[in-house]
Amino acid sequence: MKTRQLFDPESSTYSYLVWDVETREAVLIDPVQRQVNRDIQLIRELGLILRYTLETHVHADHITGSGILRQTLNSIVVVHENSKTKCADVQIKGGDFIPLGANRINVLYTPGHTDSDISFVIPGAVFTGDSLLIRGCGRTDFQFGDAARLYNSVKQQLFTLPGDTTVYPGHDYQGRSYSTIAEEMAHNPRLGNNKKLEEFVAIMGNLNLPPPKHIHEALPSNLRCGTQIVITPTTQH
């Protein structure tokens, strides 16, 4: 499988195009609505068939492009079963997998940032959404977040992957594109270096972060796969 990392500068969101080299079947993880024209163009230029859009969780900081991509490319919208996203085509849970050509993408349930967080594992890499960021993690103070639950998700699910597994996060705000499980285990200031549960809960409880800038627009939009706000995709290729 091959991977292409894509970036939305307004929300500092990473999307990931992953495809099977032989069949050209592809998935797009965490598509951003304002970037659908770019994504459609790239998919067509690479000669790929977009089978699925995969959401790591219901986002509060940007509107998903999954609904528009489904309308344009006939892709299947996939979310976790806790997301309450009735517009989705498929609801999955931890332990499931998504077939992609002769390969498969394994699903880990990694809640704590929200109650619908999932991570996607391919050989040599994991797409962690907001559950594990480079030297950080997602906040736990809304959308049924739970610091203790996130700690256990990272420690029992993500940190049990091989140390050389590449970590592809859902965001980065400092220009970093990827990390590894070993790096985060050693250097993540919130979760690494054998951080204890009580220490992590205290850290997360004292962040005092403002609400995401677009939360009141993004959450209801994402529960409808972003399709109530219409963007006309580019048809040229």
Side-chain angles (χ1 to χ4, degrees):
M1 283 189 281
K2 286 191 174 182
T3 299
R4 183 73 58 91
Q5 187 180 58
L6 304 165
F7 188 64
D8 174 57
E10 182 173 332
S11 62
S12 297
T13 297
Y14 284 124
S15 302
Y16 298 94
L17 185 62
V18 182
W19 68 95
D20 175 74
V21 175
E22 297 298 324
T23 64
R24 314 303 292 174
E25 292 185 345
V27 304
L28 186 58
I29 300 172
D30 289 341
V32 177
Q33 189 193 66
R34 69 174 62 89
Q35 300 294 347
V36 292
N37 290 344
R38 174 203 66 187
D39 298 341
I40 290 168
Q41 180 178 351
L42 179 61
I43 288 164
R44 288 172 169 165
E45 287 174 347
L46 295 177
L48 303 178
I49 304 162
L50 186 64
R51 294 298 189 199
Y52 306 97
T53 55
L54 310 179
E55 302 287 355
T56 57
H57 61 293
V58 179
H59 309 278
D61 54 3
H62 70 269
I63 297 174
T64 179
S66 62
I68 296 172
L69 289 163
R70 176 172 58 191
Q71 292 171 354
T72 307
L73 299 177
N74 201 33
S75 50
I76 295 169
V77 178
V78 180
V79 301
H80 188 265
E81 61 185 4
N82 285 351
S83 68
K84 309 296 189 295
T85 308
K86 295 180 181 179
C87 67
D89 300 299
V90 176
Q91 297 188 0
I92 57 175
K93 60 184 183 302
D96 289 344
F97 69 90
I98 295 102
L100 194 65
N103 297 288
R104 57 191 283 172
I105 299 173
N106 293 313
V107 179
L108 299 180
Y109 182 42
T110 52
H113 171 59
T114 74
D115 66 342
S116 65
D117 288 87
I118 43 182
S119 299
F120 299 106
V121 181
I122 64 173
V126 58
F127 305 90
T128 56
D130 288 15
S131 297
L132 180 64
L133 304 176
I134 299 172
R135 308 302 190 264
C137 63
R139 63 195 295 170
T140 59
D141 58 337
F142 67 100
Q143 286 184 273
F144 301 101
D146 185 306
R149 205 173 188 192
L150 180 56
Y151 179 92
N152 290 330
S153 292
V154 173
K155 294 287 188 173
Q156 297 172 14
Q157 298 267 30
L158 298 175
F159 280 3
T160 61
L161 296 171
D164 60 354
T165 302
T166 299
V167 173
Y168 287 119
H171 301 276
D172 191 75
Y173 306 96
Q174 299 182 40
R176 300 166 298 193
S177 56
Y178 62 89
S179 181
T180 66
I181 291 295
E183 278 187 42
E184 297 310 313
M185 290 179 70
H187 304 298
N188 191 299
R190 295 182 184 175
L191 289 152
N193 195 26
N194 295 312
K195 191 76 67 181
K196 302 299 184 184
L197 172 61
E198 295 76 13
E199 296 176 281
F200 178 71
V201 170
I203 289 169
M204 300 307 291
N206 288 300
L207 292 181
N208 298 316
L209 298 172
K213 187 166 55 174
H214 299 296
I215 184 171
H216 298 298
E217 176 188 6
L219 282 180
S221 297
N222 289 331
L223 291 173
R224 299 180 178 90
C225 297
T227 53
Q228 79 277 28
I229 299 175
V230 177
I231 293 179
T232 303
T234 300
T235 56
Q236 297 177 348
H237 60 283

